[in-house]
Amino acid sequence: MKEWLVTVTEYSVLLIDTIALAIVLFGTLEAFLAGFRAMLTGQATNIERREVWLRYARTLVAGLTFQLGADIIETSVTTGWEAVARLGAVAVIRTFLNFFLERDLTEIRELQHERAKERMREPTGA
């Protein structure tokens, strides 16, 4: 029974790590293309450029979340401290990414809210 559990765990970890890889690759490609497009047009505002990076950060957080899940599963059948250390490292990195992502998202929302208020105050003179 234990051997079966270890085998299922190994395949599960492989599948989840593959999903994480796909998420990070897709996000990286999307961020590269959006950034390249903004650079070519030269008309992207700071907010638009920042939104590209925020989308990319969300993608990285999603990929790290899947990796964290895979590491948790792997740790359940591993007796070595290396797996526990890796799990801790991924958790710390993910925590810092989430903190800074949330801070940036809050800043963007506040800027957008202020600009919306400014637009509403502007006269629509016709």
Side-chain angles (χ1 to χ4, degrees):
M1 178 73 169
K2 185 176 180 179
E3 292 173 11
W4 176 81
L5 182 60
V6 170
T7 302
V8 169
T9 299
E10 288 173 354
Y11 283 115
S12 298
V13 168
L14 180 62
L15 175 65
I16 295 169
D17 277 339
T18 302
I19 291 169
L21 176 65
I23 289 170
V24 171
L25 284 175
F26 175 78
T28 301
L29 182 61
E30 191 273 333
F32 174 77
L33 293 174
F36 190 68
R37 192 176 326 114
M39 187 178 67
L40 284 179
T41 62
Q43 297 174 348
T45 65
N46 283 338
I47 289 180
E48 291 168 340
R49 283 191 294 267
R50 190 169 228 181
E51 285 176 357
V52 168
W53 294 116
L54 287 174
R55 278 194 314 270
Y56 185 48
R58 283 187 206 113
T59 302
L60 292 178
V61 168
L64 278 172
T65 302
F66 278 93
Q67 283 184 323
L68 184 61
D71 287 342
I72 289 169
I73 293 169
E74 185 177 22
T75 303
S76 69
V77 295
T78 302
T79 57
W81 282 102
E82 182 181 323
V84 175
R86 190 173 69 198
L87 174 64
V90 171
V92 167
I93 291 168
R94 184 179 175 278
T95 300
F96 277 106
L97 273 175
N98 274 339
F99 172 78
F100 290 112
L101 176 62
E102 282 300 319
R103 187 189 68 184
D104 287 349
L105 284 172
T106 301
E107 186 178 316
I108 290 278
R109 284 186 201 117
E110 288 172 359
L111 282 171
Q112 289 172 337
H113 187 66
E114 288 174 18
R115 289 193 178 160
K117 280 184 180 179
E118 289 174 9
R119 282 189 217 119
M120 291 175 68
R121 284 187 233 142
E122 290 178 0
T124 58

